[in-house]
């Protein structure tokens, strides 16, 4: 249980820290004699308090100051690696297999964009909010627990166990002085950090509306029991929710799948839909990954250190993940020291995309695209630039932000609309994707179509699936890939149990 101790601050120490700050307090442990308690109890009662002498705040500036010169040199040398973006994405929850889109979203949220305050009139937030939604058993809560370990100032709550006042702030009567005092809730405690909310859909509507102000204006206004004030809540929110009825139904749009109102959905920058799709090859690789992970991390496994070189669990990315302590230092340094500017940004591209998205959104009637989405696009681009320790937002940051935003938008569509939309926005979605990845995606789609055809025609599963090469070449031409020889030789092709038969001009997959 949390314990508390009253501390008395005098003179210049008054109001030097706010609720939610982590502090180191130096003071004198003394007693305070209260006459009124005496008469009530009939014998002297001494309450103990601390008279504060000095308060040291433990915030980001302190954390950066504690980095050594060697750490900073190492961080800059890492940033020069051209694959640092992929390495950072691979470092997010390395013990979870797959789910690259979620890892990318969480990494961008950890770095965050730049908060703007034009002329001190109104603030534009810099934090990136994420909503994970999908089938049970797809490691949503594990991602949240991982972020709690790695992020600065994390606060973890669940929708069932959190009320409106518990998230924002509540007024309490002090037992000694009988005056009203203000107690900070989860969002205020997570100021300049991350607030993680699990089971987001289980919250009451009244409780959920209390987060509206915190998510966009990043402050919490209170007028209760004669206390009228506003507290800062500059935190990014990562929430996980389950769909209505447990499983995600791809034939419905996102807003029909989740019991959340439109105002709250538009406040999330990135929506990640996690689908649990049966794929024999992928499932086998996932099972192997889980079993290996359990064997390797078993407490009685004595030769854990000896075989770390031979033991590399193959995840879905080829990039080498960073060690977690290095990764934590990298985040702290980037957040505090790097503030990318938006001088050389391609504005036409963003405005054109926004107009296209508005049109698609009206036509399909899925999540509404609002001005907030332009802001979230800029924030995501800034976070990507911050990840590479750049002073300016370049074209590649904008392209990556567009890709992340489009993937999140297209995943929330009905299955029927999804395919046509993927084709319409193909030029944006192919950015920074290896051609082999795109080709594998196309080949898997053809294989699953063939599998469904075989099941309907022969009534049983076939051991070997055969896809005609001409069909595959035709599909590859649509994404401007003309030479497929290197793809047939790649490890990606072989690890998914595909074989290329040149004579018969077919691609076979053994299940």
């Amino acid at each position: 249980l949390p314990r508390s101790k009253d501390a008395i601050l005098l003179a210049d120490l008054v109001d030097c820290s706010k609720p939610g700050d982590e502090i180191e307090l130096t003071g004198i442990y003394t007693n305070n004699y209260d006459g009124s308690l005496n008469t009530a109890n009939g014998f002297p009662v001494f309450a103990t308090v601390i008279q504060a002498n000095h308060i040291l705040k433990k915030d980001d500036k302190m954390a950066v100051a504690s980095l050594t010169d060697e750490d900073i040199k190492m961080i800059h040398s890492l940033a020069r690696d051209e694959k640092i973006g992929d390495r950072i994405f691979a470092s997010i929850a390395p013990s979870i297999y797959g789910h690259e889109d979620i890892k990318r979203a969480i990494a961008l949220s950890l770095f965050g964009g730049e908060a703007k305050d034009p002329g001190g009139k109104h603030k534009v937030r810099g934090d990136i909010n994420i909503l994970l939604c999908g089938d049970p058993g797809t490691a949503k809560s594990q991602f949240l627990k991982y972020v709690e370990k790695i992020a600065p100032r994390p606060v973890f709550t669940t929708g069932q166990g959190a009320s409106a006042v518990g998230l924002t702030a509540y007024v309490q009567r002090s037992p000694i002085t009988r005056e009203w005092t203000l107690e900070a809730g989860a969002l205020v405690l997570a100021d300049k950090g991350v607030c993680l909310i699990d089971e987001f859909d289980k919250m009451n509507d009244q409780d959920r509306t209390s987060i509206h102000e915190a998510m966009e204006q990043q402050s919490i206004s209170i007028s209760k029991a004669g206390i009228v004030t506003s507290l800062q809540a500059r935190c990014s929110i990562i929430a996980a929710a389950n769909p209505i009825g447990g499983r995600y139904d791809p034939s419905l749009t996102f807003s029909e799948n989740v019991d959340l109102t439109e105002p709250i959905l538009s406040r999330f920058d990135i929506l990640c839909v996690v689908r649990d799709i049966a794929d024999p090859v992928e499932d086998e690789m996932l099972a192997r990954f889980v079993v290996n992970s359990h064997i390797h991390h078993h407490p009685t496994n004595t030769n854990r250190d000896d075989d770390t070189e031979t033991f590399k669990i193959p995840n879905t990315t080829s990039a080498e993940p960073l060690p977690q302590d290095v990764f934590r230092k990298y985040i702290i340094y980037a957040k505090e020291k790097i503030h990318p500017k938006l001088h050389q940004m391609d504005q036409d591209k963003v405005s054109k995309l926004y107009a296209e998205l508005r049109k698609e959104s009206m036509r399909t009637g899925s999540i509404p695209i609002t001005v907030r989405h332009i802001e979230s696009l800029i924030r995501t681009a800034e976070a990507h630039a911050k990840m590479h320790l750049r002073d300016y937002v370049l074209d590649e940051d904008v392209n990556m932000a567009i890709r992340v935003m489009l993937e999140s938008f297209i995943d929330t569509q009905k299955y029927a609309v999804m395919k046509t939309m993927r084709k319409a926005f193909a030029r944006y979605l192919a950015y920074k994707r290896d051609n082999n990845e795109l080709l594998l995606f196309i080949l898997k789609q053809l294989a699953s179509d063939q599998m469904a055809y075989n099941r309907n025609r022969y009534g049983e599963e076939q051991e070997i699936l055969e896809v005609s090469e001409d069909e595959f070449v035709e599909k590859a031409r649509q994404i401007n890939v003309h030479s497929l020889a290197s793809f047939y030789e790649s490890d990606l092709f072989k690890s998914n149990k595909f074989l290329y038969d040149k004579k018969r001009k077919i691609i076979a997959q053994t299940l």
Side-chain angles (χ1 to χ4, degrees):
L1 282 171
R3 301 263 183 265
S4 67
K5 191 90 212 133
D6 286 340
I8 296 173
L9 312 186
L10 299 171
D12 59 335
L13 288 181
V14 174
D15 282 346
C16 69
S17 65
K18 284 209 171 87
D21 285 342
E22 260 188 55
I23 57 168
E24 234 175 61
L25 185 103
T26 315
I28 303 156
Y29 190 65
T30 173
N31 67 323
N32 123 353
Y33 173 72
D34 189 5
S36 63
L37 281 175
N38 246 2
T39 50
N41 294 326
F43 55 86
V45 173
F46 293 93
T48 52
V49 292
I50 299 171
Q51 275 186 359
N53 188 23
H54 176 68
I55 284 182
L56 180 70
K57 269 201 217 175
K58 287 185 167 178
D59 53 5
D60 292 350
K61 288 189 178 65
M62 279 280 301
V64 171
S66 66
L67 292 179
T68 61
D69 292 348
E70 286 162 17
D71 288 340
I72 293 169
K73 206 178 275 179
M74 175 193 64
I75 286 167
H76 279 287
S77 69
L78 279 174
R80 283 191 208 102
D81 179 2
E82 57 195 33
K83 280 196 167 178
I84 184 65
D86 296 335
R87 288 186 68 182
I88 286 173
F89 297 149
S91 313
I92 299 277
S95 58
I96 296 174
Y97 181 82
H99 296 314
E100 269 105 40
D101 53 339
I102 299 182
K103 291 183 180 181
R104 197 178 301 120
I106 287 176
L108 290 167
S109 176
L110 284 176
F111 284 91
E114 280 299 301
K116 323 274 189 318
D117 193 359
K121 293 181 189 69
H122 74 286
K123 286 190 179 134
V124 178
R125 69 184 161 97
D127 297 304
I128 296 173
N129 300 327
I130 303 174
L131 176 65
L132 313 177
C133 172
D135 297 338
T138 44
K140 295 191 296 290
S141 302
Q142 288 293 351
F143 273 117
L144 296 190
K145 280 290 178 196
Y146 169 78
V147 176
E148 191 186 9
K149 296 269 189 308
I150 197 108
R153 285 189 78 161
V155 173
F156 187 90
T157 62
T158 59
Q160 202 72 55
S163 62
V165 287
L167 283 170
T168 53
Y170 53 96
V171 175
Q172 194 186 29
R173 198 167 232 156
S174 164
I176 298 171
T177 57
R178 314 297 293 157
E179 281 181 11
W180 292 104
T181 56
L182 201 62
E183 299 286 329
L187 291 168
V188 182
L189 292 178
D191 187 29
K192 290 204 169 167
V194 183
C195 182
L196 308 154
I197 307 173
D198 203 359
E199 308 285 351
F200 192 59
D201 52 319
K202 307 284 188 302
M203 284 173 74
N204 302 334
D205 287 341
Q206 294 91 351
D207 297 349
R208 216 181 284 129
T209 46
S210 66
I211 312 179
H212 281 207
E213 187 194 357
M215 280 179 78
E216 198 56 56
Q217 279 75 39
Q218 299 218 307
S219 64
I220 288 166
S221 309
I222 298 162
S223 43
K224 289 178 186 171
I227 295 175
V228 180
T229 182
S230 128
L231 298 171
Q232 300 269 29
R234 296 158 297 186
C235 63
S236 46
I237 291 176
I238 302 180
N242 288 326
I244 301 168
R247 286 192 85 79
Y248 191 90
D249 184 355
S251 62
L252 302 174
T253 60
F254 188 81
S255 41
E256 290 165 343
N257 261 303
V258 188
D259 188 17
L260 295 173
T261 55
E262 283 192 357
I264 205 135
L265 281 181
S266 72
R267 280 171 163 81
F268 283 107
D269 299 297
I270 304 173
L271 303 170
C272 295
V273 177
V274 205
R275 303 268 320 283
D276 190 7
I277 303 167
D279 174 346
V281 178
E282 196 73 18
D283 293 345
E284 191 182 313
M285 286 159 89
L286 170 62
R288 192 170 289 149
F289 179 87
V290 171
V291 171
N292 276 343
S293 179
H294 274 254
I295 292 169
H296 183 64
H297 297 298
H298 196 276
T300 56
N301 185 1
T302 46
N303 57 355
R304 210 183 309 181
D305 302 329
D306 311 341
D307 61 1
T308 42
E309 288 308 310
T310 56
F311 181 82
K312 281 270 184 284
I313 307 179
N315 211 319
T316 43
T317 53
S318 54
E320 176 77 22
L322 305 172
Q324 294 299 308
D325 52 340
V326 174
F327 183 41
R328 194 178 281 113
K329 285 175 184 170
Y330 194 98
I331 292 173
I332 289 168
Y333 182 80
K335 278 191 86 159
E336 189 61 30
K337 292 283 186 202
I338 309 295
H339 306 290
K341 300 182 185 69
L342 285 166
H343 286 322
Q344 306 140 345
M345 196 172 131
D346 188 352
Q347 295 176 4
D348 296 344
K349 186 187 278 181
V350 175
S351 52
K352 209 179 285 176
L353 176 84
Y354 176 64
E356 278 181 53
L357 275 177
R358 285 277 289 188
K359 198 170 73 186
E360 291 287 343
S361 156
M362 290 299 168
R363 198 165 58 81
T364 56
S366 65
I367 56 165
I369 293 286
T370 59
V371 184
R372 281 185 182 143
H373 287 81
I374 305 179
E375 290 180 357
S376 69
L377 186 78
I378 292 168
R379 272 194 287 274
T380 316
E382 285 171 343
H384 194 257
K386 211 180 258 193
M387 202 181 281
H388 292 77
L389 305 189
R390 280 199 278 264
D391 292 334
Y392 291 97
V393 173
L394 304 182
D395 257 2
E396 62 176 281
D397 301 320
V398 178
N399 290 340
M400 190 60 166
I402 288 175
R403 180 185 148 188
V404 167
M405 185 180 157
L406 273 176
E407 278 178 358
S408 126
F409 178 63
I410 291 174
D411 279 348
T412 58
Q413 304 297 333
K414 291 181 190 170
Y415 189 71
V417 182
M418 211 186 270
K419 277 191 171 177
T420 52
M421 241 185 217
R422 279 229 159 89
K423 215 170 258 178
F425 292 113
R427 61 185 189 283
Y428 296 119
L429 289 170
Y431 175 71
K432 266 273 175 95
R433 268 214 177 156
D434 196 0
N435 278 347
N436 289 356
E437 273 183 50
L438 291 167
L439 291 170
L440 181 70
F441 179 71
I442 290 170
L443 191 55
K444 276 188 174 174
Q445 275 189 330
L446 289 173
S448 67
D449 292 350
Q450 188 66 34
M451 195 170 169
Y453 170 73
N454 288 352
R455 197 184 296 125
N456 292 341
R457 185 168 176 191
Y458 305 115
E460 57 182 44
E461 298 283 343
Q462 301 290 316
E463 283 295 311
I464 293 176
L465 282 179
E466 294 182 350
V467 176
S468 101
E469 193 198 2
D470 298 338
E471 203 178 341
F472 181 49
V473 168
E474 182 55 42
K475 290 265 188 190
R477 271 209 194 104
Q478 289 174 7
I479 58 162
N480 295 333
V481 179
H482 299 287
S483 140
L484 296 171
S486 61
F487 175 60
Y488 295 146
E489 295 297 317
S490 69
D491 293 336
L492 202 59
F493 183 76
K494 289 168 188 161
S495 67
N496 281 280
K497 299 190 177 176
F498 284 110
L499 278 174
Y500 173 52
D501 191 335
K502 210 169 188 176
K503 282 182 188 167
R504 291 171 58 204
K505 284 206 163 186
I506 59 158
I507 297 162
Q509 184 183 28
T510 48
L511 297 175

